[in-house]
Each structure stands twice: as C-alpha cells, then as structure tokens.
Amino acid sequence: MRLAFPFTKVFLVARITRNIAAMGTLFELLLLGDDTEHLTDVAEASIAELKRVEQLISRYDPRSEISRINRDAAAQSVQVDREVWELIELGASAWETTGGAFDLTASTPASDQPVPVSFAQVSLDDVHRRVAFSRSDVKLDLGAIGKGYALDRVKQLLLEYGVKQAFVHGGSSSVTAIGGGPQGTGWQIELAVNWQDAPGGLATLSLKDVSLSCSDSHSSETAVSDIIDPSTSAPIGEPRACFCTGPSGVECEAFSTAAIVMGRDRTKELLREIAPTTLASVGWIDQSSGGATLTWLRGGPSR
C-alpha cells in the first residue's frame, strides 16, 4: 500500500525530521513546535526507542527476547519479559477473536506434519508468564504487530514530553498522528495500492490524534502475497487490502492483517462486535468491481 505523506510545506517555528531503517523498513518522524532544541532531543529519544523495540522483538536478531523464546520453548517452558508477554497475550486474544485469522506463528514454513503449525501449539502460563511450544517447528513472529507497537511506544514518549504536533510512519503502512497538523484540520495522506489500474490515489485521509494501519495482500511487486492464511499455510490469492484507524497502532495492525485473511464478508461480521472506540474507521480495497475499488466498512476519510 502506498501513502503520500505530509513532510513538506510545513511552516512553524520548529520543524524536526528524522528517519531510521528498522524492522526491515524505513521509519520517518516529523515533529512540529516552538522549541527546536527540545524537539531535537525528543526526536533522538524516539529513534532510540525504535531501536530498542526492534532489538526486543526481532526474530532475526539471535539476542532478542523472541529469538530466545523460539530457541527454547519447544524443549521447556520459557519465562518471558513482561513487555513481550503483553504482546504475546494481545496476539493470543486476536487469534481467538478472529477465529485464527490472526496468528503469531503464521510465518512458520509449512511442514509435512498433518496438522499445520498454528497458535494452538502455543501454551501460555498467565500466572508465571511462561510460554511453551508443543512442537519443535513452532516459531513466534511479532512482525505483524511490531511496527504498530513501536509507533505506540514512540507516541507515548512524544506525549510524555509535551509534543503536540507529530506525524510518524513506518514503511508507508503504519502511522501515528498527533494533533491536527499545521492547519489543525488533520494530517492529509493519500491512499493507494500497487495493483490499482488508475493513476493517483484512491482516497485522501485526514488523520488527527489517531493511529492507522494498512495491510495489503500484494504490497510488493512480486506476484505472490507475503501474507499467509494460517488455515492453509498458503499465501493469499487475489489482491485485497484493508486499512483501519483507532487509538492503538498495535490493535489496528492486528485487525488489518486478520482482515486480509478473513475477507470482506467475515471482516464486516466481526466489526459488528468491535466498538468504534477501538476502530474508528475501516476501509476495504479489492477488485470485485473490476479495478481497485475502495469500500468503507466503517467510518470515512476523516478520523
């Protein structure tokens, strides 16, 4: 999914931008205010926080907490860092809520065993914060919610340090917006997908004090989707995309990822159970009408 971001034409006393490569993508920060020195310090602290989260949850870093769990949890139960435990619990809740469409083990390669890998092979001891795997081929992967969590942490830091206007994104698919932008009417972004026929965007969104997550079944130029259906261990077939806004970036990421697996009809059904205070708006894009078509399942372009 492509997003055009408001990193130009900003005219306030202080305008600080930073970027960092993390979690396999590029994070960019734009902070606005009236104290350049303060915003610079906060921006550097935000970059440090992004690095810390990556080191905590990256399954590619052998020193990370997730890598330790994946190495040892099949042999014996592993006590988990409280921060990572809360993310695993969120993943477990999303797995139950979505009927398995969201699954923290979904990136595990398919094996020859008759029962495919799923979160059903993960045991959680809530009392002692311990995790165990029932099979050696089970691996946890927080990539589906990692960027959203990282942005939630940065958002918390920015608010604690009194930043009232900020726009931060990770890889053009996860966003947090603080304040209403330089004009006060919302941070304007343009939404598009790689597989649409028409040039330009499908919609312009106005974001104000909200997080956004976009999931696209075919976000890269390759023909094969990088999103796996946990029920089949196979990539998603036809192109589809879902984006949603809400107060929590990590919850938006979990929902938008699950929606790609569930499809439009199941997503609409699930939305009947989820309050607008959790998800303010949900948009769906597919090719059911020929070219890429946007349908609002909840809310609209200004959230």
Side-chain angles (χ1 to χ4, degrees), residues 93-111:
S93 176
W95 180 69
E96 293 179 357
T97 300
T98 63
F102 181 85
D103 194 322
L104 291 179
T105 69
S107 66
T108 301
S111 68

Side-chain angles (χ1 to χ4, degrees), residues 3 7 68 102 113 118 120 139 156 168 244 255 263 266 274:
L3 299 175
F7 276 60
R68 183 179 70 86
F102 181 85
Q113 298 199 40
S118 78
K139 306 294 179 185
Q156 181 179 347
V168 189
C244 55
F255 183 86
R266 283 181 61 198
I274 298 176

